[in-house]
């Protein structure tokens, strides 16, 4: 089994080695909670808490690698050109309103996670709790489609951003993740969970619309994020290191 896992990483390892420079161990809020993060201010850094659940850990690494990948692309092109940077939009993965760039990040990383799991099963690599992962694949595909629909409806894109959106839609649509007939009740419940999430968001954010005097996006950036500060300290750097050269554009 170990040999199979090692061989399955043959193509991925060189990519990870080029993009990933440091994994910083961090503490989560509890034994059942996994925490991971990347920061635009620190390319190549990935903060991860420990979990004995291999599926969770592997997915987190794929997820955070693609945040790093998109952050690198954003240095070259804004991707989202408008119409607003305000955090006013629904995200299938968050309870709070998000800016369009945040939704793009979510859609980009989760379409990659979906493809990872599809390829994993195609390679016939042994995996515990396969039913759970297949259910997650179905949920991820549905959530990502909702996010892509929001981007297509609400965002204005650069030429490169429009091409990226089209590529993500094509990638998500080419996978079949519907559950087996015997699991149709579970699939229906996953659909219900998504509807309940959206309904709760609508109640909490009634009337959320772009306005000139709307509350600005207050998303915590790397310089202020507790995990980022902890990561700097773990690496032996001062928490107040000047990041201007990395973030100014």
């Amino acid at each position: 089994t170990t040999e199979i896992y090692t061989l399955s990483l043959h193509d991925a390892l060189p990519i990870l080695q080029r993009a990933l420079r440091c994994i910083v161990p961090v503490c989560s809020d509890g034994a059942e909670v996994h925490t991971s993060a990347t920061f635009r201010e620190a390319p190549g850094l990935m903060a991860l808490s420990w979990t004995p659940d291999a599926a969770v850990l592997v997915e987190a690494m794929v997820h955070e690698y693609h945040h790093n990948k998109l952050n690198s692309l954003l240095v070259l092109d804004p991707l989202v050109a408008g119409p607003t940077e305000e955090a006013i939009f629904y995200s299938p993965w968050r309870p709070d309103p998000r800016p369009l760039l945040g939704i793009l990040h979510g859609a980009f990383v989760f379409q990659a996670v979906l493809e990872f799991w599809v390829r994993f099963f195609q390679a016939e690599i042994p995996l515990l709790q396969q039913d759970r992962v297949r259910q997650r694949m179905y949920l991820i595909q549905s959530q990502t489609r909702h996010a892509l629909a929001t981007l297509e409806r609400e965002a204005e894109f650069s030429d490169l951003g429009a091409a990226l959106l089209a590529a993500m839609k094509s990638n998500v649509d080419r996978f079949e993740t519907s559950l087996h007939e015997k699991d149709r009740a579970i699939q229906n419940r996953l659909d219900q969970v998504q509807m309940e999430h959206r309904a709760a968001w609508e109640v909490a954010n009634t009337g959320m619309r772009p306005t000139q005097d709307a509350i600005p996006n207050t998303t915590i950036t790397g310089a202020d994020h507790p995990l980022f500060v902890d990561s700097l300290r773990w690496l032996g750097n001062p928490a107040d290191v000047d990041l201007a050269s990395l973030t100014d554009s």
Side-chain angles (χ1 to χ4, degrees), residues 23-129:
I23 297 179
V24 177
V26 296
C27 294
S28 66
D29 293 333
E32 302 301 319
V33 179
H34 184 259
T35 298
S36 66
T38 48
F39 308 97
R40 188 174 181 180
E41 294 86 347
L45 183 147
M46 182 184 298
L48 286 173
S49 66
W50 165 249
T51 173
D53 191 325
V56 171
L57 191 61
V58 168
E59 180 177 313
M61 294 184 71
V62 174
H63 179 119
E64 299 301 345
Y65 163 75
H66 281 85
H67 275 307
N68 259 319
K69 190 174 182 179
L70 187 59
N71 281 333
S72 297
L73 184 58
L74 285 165
V75 174
L76 305 176
D77 190 281
L79 302 180
V80 176
T84 177
E85 295 181 356
E86 296 167 314
I88 56 175
F89 298 99
Y90 171 73
S91 167
W93 302 284
R94 297 280 293 262
D96 52 331
R98 299 290 291 153
L100 290 169
L101 185 58
I103 295 175
L104 178 63
H105 259 283
F108 182 75
V109 301
F110 278 108
Q111 61 88 29
V113 168
L114 174 62
E115 181 173 357
F116 167 78
W117 283 125
V118 169
R119 291 191 178 193
F120 194 95
F121 279 110
Q122 289 174 344
E124 299 182 349
I125 300 171
L127 176 69
L128 298 177
Q129 301 178 328

Side-chain angles (χ1 to χ4, degrees), residues 167-182:
M168 289 191 295
K169 289 177 59 181
S170 176
N171 199 35
V172 169
D173 288 342
R174 67 194 180 96
F175 301 126
E176 175 55 54
T177 64
S178 295
L179 302 183
H180 298 303
E181 188 63 35
K182 67 181 180 65

Side-chain angles (χ1 to χ4, degrees), residues 186-204:
I186 296 175
Q187 181 169 313
N188 292 339
R189 178 54 186 155
L190 292 173
D191 293 338
Q192 183 65 30
V193 166
Q194 293 177 81
M195 289 188 290
E196 291 172 356
H197 184 272
R198 178 60 185 260
W201 187 94
E202 295 284 359
V203 169

